[in-house]
């Protein structure tokens, strides 16, 4: 059976008090919308339609950046969830299969839950997703008769008896695509808000003799984000889940509550992560690697046995091979370090390739930018870069070559050669004391003149 996703992302999010569309507020380094899309993508949908409205251009751009095959439909006037789903009709024209309605501001629905909904479709025409709420509050209620879902009633329209129900509506619905749109056509807006509710399709379906049911998921999966406080709570929930999953995968943490993950962080078994480490998007740390305290990683790959930090920064394009050492206050960007290479102290390595076993001394810099273009530095296997070396790219230092400390290297260094590029030291005996005496005398004279 083929599947389509309809992701509703048209809301303004007034309570966020932001110029940014609500669904683009980030959790773990990715917009909420992307989290919803990732959950649905696990079902390998044939088509995906994102329904946009407020900030439509920005929302559509974010969706396309995540998946260029996504199509968008616009809800220019927000008249309710049924009206929003109806806007996807043209995009899904000719789709022969099911559709699942998701929400861009509900980022934690799990792929396994969506798979259970599809499985439940084998015995029901419509499947709703519900949860047992600890505090039902103003959620819509699922009115059940055994396994059959009779109707979904919004809180503002519910009777006292219906408000006593704790099985609540997440808003997620699965149905045959043609059936879904056919039912939506019959939905009216005779309710307290004057809106077209997607939930009303259950009552319409029952009246037509169709079968509806509901499955339950953990309440945390249905967490919606409507305010900054809820956004912070969602971030905390994501981080707690990510840490728990990493523990299960065999990762060791010194202070897990101080480590922050991105939505796509991958940590291998027996990786050791010290305190106050931040993983930005696009990080893979292989088994047995060690990330020391206060390091920040993004867009990089760290291989087995590598040690990073403390206080190191790995930026996008950093590729660390096995047993590489990147030490304190070192920054690596768009550079590959082959097995056993070492950059241990206070250095910047950008747009470079470092050979196996080479050693870059403290305070060295690959000077990669000429003000207009970036240039690359090549350092051969076994090379030794003396402390404080400035490598003016494009430049190559050959295998087993050396540079003297404090050198400014502007020309290629052949294999096995020593390059010294600094002025000869000149020493003037006694001159320091005479100069200081002159400086102090000048200062006292100027002070007296000022008085």
């Amino acid at each position: 059976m083929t599947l389509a996703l309809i992701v509703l992302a048209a809301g303004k999010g007034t309570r966020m008090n932001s110029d940014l569309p609500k669904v683009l507020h980030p959790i773990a380094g990715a917009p909420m919308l992307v989290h919803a899309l990732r959950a649905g993508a696990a079902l390998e949908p044939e088509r995906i339609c994102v329904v946009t409205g407020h900030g439509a251009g920005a929302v559509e751009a974010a969706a396309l950046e995540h998946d260029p095959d996504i199509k968008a439909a616009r809800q220019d006037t927000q008249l309710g969830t049924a009206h929003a789903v109806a806007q996807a009709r043209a995009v899904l024209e000719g789709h022969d299969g099911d559709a699942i309605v998701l929400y861009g501001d509900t980022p934690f629905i799990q792929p396994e839950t969506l798979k259970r909904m599809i499985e439940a479709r084998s015995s029901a025409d419509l499947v709703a997703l519900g949860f047992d709420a600890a505090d039902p509050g103003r959620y819509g209620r699922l009115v059940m008769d055994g396994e059959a879902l009779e109707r979904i009633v919004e809180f503002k329209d519910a009777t006292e008896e219906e408000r006593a129900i704790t099985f609540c509506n997440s808003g997620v619905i699965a149905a045959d695509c043609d059936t879904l749109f056919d039912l939506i056509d019959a939905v009216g807006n005779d309710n307290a808000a004057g809106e077209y509710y997607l939930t009303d399709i259950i009552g319409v379906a029952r009246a037509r003799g169709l079968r509806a049911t509901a499955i339950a998921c953990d309440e945390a999966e249905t967490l919606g984000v409507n305010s900054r406080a809820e956004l912070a709570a969602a971030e905390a929930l994501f981080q707690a889940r990510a840490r728990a999953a990493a523990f299960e995968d065999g990762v060791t943490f010194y202070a897990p509550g101080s480590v922050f993950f991105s939505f796509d962080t991958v940590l291998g078994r027996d990786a050791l992560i010290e305190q106050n480490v931040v993983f930005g998007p696009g990080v893979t740390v292989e088994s047995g690697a060690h990330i020391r305290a206060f390091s920040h990683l993004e867009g990089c790959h760290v291989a087995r046995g590598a040690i990073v930090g403390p206080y190191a920064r790995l930026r996008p394009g950093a590729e660390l091979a096995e047993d590489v050492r990147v030490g304190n206050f070192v920054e690596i960007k768009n550079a590959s370090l082959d097995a056993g290479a070492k950059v241990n102290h206070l250095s910047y390595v950008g747009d470079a390739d470092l050979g196996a076993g080479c050693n870059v001394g403290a305070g060295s810099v690959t000077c990669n930018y000429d003000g207009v273009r970036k240039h690359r530095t090549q350092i051969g296997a076994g090379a030794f870069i003396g402390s404080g070396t400035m490598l003016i790219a494009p430049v190559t230092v050959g295998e087993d070559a050396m540079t003297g400390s404090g050198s400014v290297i502007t020309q290629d260094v052949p294999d096995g050669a020593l390059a010294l590029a600094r002025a000869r030291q000149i020493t003037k005996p006694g001159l320091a004391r005479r100069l200081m005496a002159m400086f102090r005398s000048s200062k006292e004279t100027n002070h007296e003149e000022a008085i």
Side-chain angles (χ1 to χ4, degrees), residues 13-24:
T14 303
R15 290 171 57 196
M16 298 296 286
N17 191 22
S18 175
D19 292 332
L20 188 68
K22 179 171 67 170
V23 298
L24 297 188

Side-chain angles (χ1 to χ4, degrees), residues 222-243:
T222 68
L223 177 68
V225 178
N226 297 293
S227 68
R228 302 280 185 167
E230 291 175 353
L231 183 67
E235 181 72 43
L237 175 60
F238 178 93
Q239 296 299 333
R241 284 182 171 181
R243 293 168 192 141

Side-chain angles (χ1 to χ4, degrees), residues 325-387:
R325 301 291 186 269
V326 172
N328 50 288
F329 301 103
V330 171
E331 181 175 337
I332 310 290
K333 189 272 296 182
N334 192 30
S336 63
L337 281 66
D338 289 347
K342 296 179 176 63
V343 188
N344 276 325
H345 318 284
L346 303 158
S347 296
Y348 171 74
V349 175
D351 298 288
D353 300 291
L354 278 59
C358 72
N359 190 313
V360 176
S364 297
V365 175
T366 60
C367 304
N368 55 334
Y369 185 49
D370 64 8
V372 178
R373 294 176 298 274
K374 297 289 183 71
H375 302 280
R376 206 151 186 90
T377 297
Q378 308 285 338
I379 300 176
F384 185 92
I385 307 302
S387 297

